[in-house]
Amino acid sequence: MLMGNCLLLFLWCLIDKSFVSPLHSSSQSRMGKEQYRNMLAHRKHGMMGVHRVKRGWVWNQFFVLEEYMGSDPQYVGKLHSDLDKGNSMVKYTLSGEGVGSIFTIEPSTGDIHALRSLDREEKPYYTLRAQAVDVLTGRPLEPESEFIIKVQDINDNEPRFLEGPYSASVPEMSPIGSYVTQITATDADDPTYGNSARIVYSILHGQPYFSVDPKTGIIRVALPNMDREVKEMYQVVIQAKDMGGQLGGLAGTTTINITLRDVNDNPPRFSKSIFHLRILETSPVGSSVGRVKAHDLDSGKNAEVEYSIVPGDGGSMFDIYSNKNTHEGTVILKKCLDYETRKAYTFKVEASNAVLDHRFLHLGPFKDTATVKVNVLDVEEPPVFSRLSYSMETYEDTTVGIIVGAVTAEDLDVGNSPVRYSVEWRKDSENHFDIDPVEGTLSVIEALDRERHTEHNVTVVATKVNNPLLSSKVTVTIKVLDVNEFPPELAFVYETFVCENAKVGQVIQIISATDRDIPAVEHRFYFKSPSQTRNRNFTIRDYGNNTAGVVTRRGGFRRLEQSMYLVPVVVEDGGYPLQSSTGMVSVRVCTCNTDGSLLSCNAEAVIFPMGLSTGALMAIMLCIVILLVMAVLYMGLRKHKKKDTLMSSKEDIRDNVIHYDDEGGGEEDTQAFDIGTLRNPKGIKEKAQLQKIRSEDEPNRASACMSNEDSEDIRAYIHHCLLENSSPPYDSLVTYAYEGEGSVAESLSSIESWVLEPKEDYRNLCDWGPRFKTLAGIFKEHEWVNVTAP
């Protein structure tokens, strides 16, 4: 085989002259340019150069067999360059994957050998680089080239089923060709080379029940009418063989466990035709008389049997219960028995499948019948309770000693012996209840806690006094209820209407209620009208389903007489303690058509021949009152403005600059600016005090700004006025709404105040601060003009 591979490589080299891998085209181009520059350098120094370098690598891709078992290294191929003249002046080098450990090269001949056995499944190929260099100079004669050594596959791996063994199922009675499952095997050999990975499936064990597709591995049913009741499990062995199933191929096997799924193809059958049962005459209603059973060969739901009593003479005394777990029918007592009246009963019981498969109905009816005979036994009866079990309820805040309920038992024998009651005590649980031995009333003996136990089961024993060995027991279930805390309320704010032409007994609104309490079962609400008041217009009708209706009690409503009614509704719950609340339903009187459709409910004025409606008159009166209030407020505000000055803000009025839009009479108008007439009484008093201070200080003044000590009282006064918001400081500039000859107060201007009051002296204004410095200069110039005037 090795010689054959070498011959193939030799023929390939002859056909493909270039034999260069395209993977190294760029590197060859770069290394070719370097070689050309080296040749030019040789010529420049007078050395003999080669006119043209022809690349002559004779490889492109090599192959090496996997799993080589020879003693000598496996020959891979030979590297050769056209520049190699056979004079041992060319040296071949090798680099890349596995060089030295797997592959080696003879430097002088270029022969490549594999040092050890290779496995294609571990690594399918190796990438290496070859270089031809001059032995003397060590310079490369050829650019470094890249080539690949492929590991040639052999059939050394058998097909394998990675997920086996498999499990599958198919319905019984399936037709031929029904799909069961599909299996797939994998082969690690090279699928592109030969038939090493071509797999063919065949069945080794499991015929003639199943078949397998040789190409896809799909398993199908091969035999019809396979019955699960005959055989349920089948084991099928499948073989996967490579090399297309030819002789010499490797094979792998797997097991498929196929289960037949059940279908309802078998009816139930009683094991015997007559069942004999016995029961004591003292057995309470609901007691088990006995069991009957019909066998069904199917399984699961297909084997479920439903039992029923065929109507007849004796069947009315008994009933039958179907047990899905045991597939049995339990006959129970439906009515009380009396041995003296009847000693035996006979009836028929029918067994049928609950689920039918219509595909198999042709096999016959899927039901069977049997006869049941019940004999009544005469025995001395223990006391019989009035019920099979008792259920009672009590609240968690029940006081100790309160009776929760009672049980009753009696002796049905002729002697009619008295009965005594007792509670069966349990050591492993708390005992919260006790029973009266004569009356049979259960009472609380310990505080109940619903958070710990929501339910208590008490066993009560009834014993005959004449024969204490005869006793009977009954279970009393006592539920601990939560205390009812919140009253019920109407579900919505109900606003409805009633037509003026409404009739008696007409329902105008359906109401419901809500409750924040969470009951054990469900809410139950009761609706009614308040008992302390009698409503002649409307009443409440409780429907018994947590809803009620507002019903008219009369007709002929008139919107002019009364446009709105408030109907009280009392809502009660069924909790403990009883909670209730009263809600209101607003009912407006509206105009409607004859068919009851709404026309208008607005409160507009309706004019009748006799005048305006009551609502319209009330609206008009309300408007008049609003207008009167607005007029009074306006007059009060206007009068307040006349009394108060406009300088009542909290700002420093010395910084205010007042702009007058009206022109006065000028300086010659001596009657238009008399501010003294309009000053308020408080301002006049302050002015008199200030004039007194000036008159006392006038002999001591030398000039307008000579002494600061003389004006200390004035500064204190001005500071006092500046701190007060109710009255402006002396000599403030105030804008008034009207000014002139026609005013009773005459002129409001302060321009002529110095003419009317010649005794006032403003020379000390400079002592008031920098804000009055300009004003002091103006008065000083005015005084100087008056002095110098002729």
Side-chain angles (χ1 to χ4, degrees), residues 130 198 226 368 397 416:
R198 182 185 173 191
M226 287 192 293
D368 195 14
D397 61 347
N416 193 16

Side-chain angles (χ1 to χ4, degrees), residues 527-692:
F527 301 87
K528 63 181 181 180
S529 298
S531 58
Q532 62 272 17
T533 58
R534 177 175 177 81
N535 194 330
R536 298 181 180 180
N537 302 306
F538 303 95
T539 185
I540 305 301
R541 181 183 298 169
D542 194 337
Y543 294 128
N545 58 353
N546 291 343
T547 61
V550 181
V551 184
T552 58
R553 300 188 66 175
R554 67 176 182 87
F557 292 91
R558 293 293 179 264
R559 188 164 42 153
L560 294 178
E561 298 175 359
Q562 186 172 349
S563 61
M564 179 70 72
Y565 293 89
L566 294 179
V567 181
V569 180
V570 178
V571 186
E572 296 179 350
D573 57 16
Y576 174 82
L578 182 68
Q579 297 284 357
S580 65
S581 66
T582 302
M584 290 294 180
V585 178
S586 300
V587 182
R588 300 174 64 185
V589 181
C590 299
T591 303
C592 303
N593 286 334
T594 56
D595 57 354
S597 59
L598 179 65
L599 288 179
S600 175
C601 285
N602 296 330
E604 72 277 4
V606 181
I607 301 177
F608 290 92
M610 60 186 301
L612 295 177
S613 62
T614 305
L617 292 175
M618 292 179 64
I620 293 174
M621 293 298 295
L622 181 61
C623 293
I624 293 174
V625 171
I626 293 174
L627 290 175
L628 291 175
V629 171
M630 293 177 61
V632 171
L633 292 176
Y634 176 75
M635 295 300 295
L637 291 174
R638 186 171 181 181
K639 183 177 181 181
H640 180 70
K641 285 184 178 180
K642 288 182 179 182
K643 292 182 178 181
D644 295 341
T645 62
L646 294 178
M647 305 299 290
S648 59
S649 63
K650 296 182 179 181
E651 299 177 352
D652 190 349
I653 58 174
R654 291 177 295 176
D655 292 339
N656 293 343
V657 177
I658 309 302
H659 176 71
Y660 291 91
D661 291 333
D662 299 331
E663 284 191 12
E667 296 180 358
E668 297 179 357
D669 188 1
T670 58
Q671 296 181 357
F673 301 96
D674 188 3
I675 195 172
T677 307
L678 294 179
R679 287 201 180 103
N680 55 54
K682 184 176 181 180
I684 296 174
K685 293 180 180 180
E686 293 174 353
K687 177 183 175 184
Q689 181 179 0
L690 183 60
Q691 289 178 351
K692 181 179 180 180

Side-chain angles (χ1 to χ4, degrees), residues 220-235:
R220 300 181 183 275
V221 176
L223 187 67
N225 299 327
M226 287 192 293
D227 194 354
R228 186 197 66 86
E229 288 72 33
V230 177
K231 186 177 181 180
E232 182 178 5
M233 183 72 69
Y234 294 85
Q235 192 175 71

Side-chain angles (χ1 to χ4, degrees), residues 406-476:
V407 296
T408 304
E410 60 179 342
D411 183 14
L412 301 179
D413 292 334
V414 179
N416 193 16
S417 172
V419 178
R420 294 294 179 263
Y421 302 95
S422 62
V423 174
E424 186 177 52
W425 297 99
R426 298 178 183 177
K427 296 181 180 180
D428 56 344
S429 62
E430 299 179 0
N431 298 289
H432 296 82
F433 302 93
D434 197 3
I435 191 168
D436 187 283
V438 177
E439 301 296 333
T441 55
L442 286 167
S443 59
V444 179
I445 60 174
E446 291 184 10
L448 302 178
D449 188 357
R450 187 177 182 273
E451 282 67 30
R452 294 183 58 187
H453 300 286
T454 60
E455 186 177 277
H456 296 271
N457 293 322
V458 181
T459 302
V460 178
V461 181
T463 307
K464 293 176 64 172
V465 176
N466 296 340
N467 188 0
L469 297 178
L470 295 178
S471 63
S472 59
K473 299 180 181 180
V474 71
T475 301
V476 180

Side-chain angles (χ1 to χ4, degrees), residues 138-199:
R139 294 182 178 179
L141 301 177
E142 292 285 347
E144 187 180 50
S145 298
E146 188 175 82
F147 66 97
I148 295 174
I149 298 178
K150 277 194 172 183
V151 182
Q152 188 173 356
D153 183 53
I154 63 173
N155 189 16
D156 59 341
N157 292 279
E158 72 278 1
R160 294 183 179 180
F161 295 93
L162 303 179
E163 300 179 359
Y166 299 87
S167 296
S169 64
V170 64
E172 63 174 332
M173 299 295 178
S174 296
I176 296 176
S178 298
Y179 175 86
V180 179
T181 186
Q182 182 178 11
I183 58 174
T184 304
T186 58
D187 196 320
D189 292 327
D190 189 358
T192 63
Y193 180 76
N195 294 328
S196 299
R198 182 185 173 191
I199 300 174

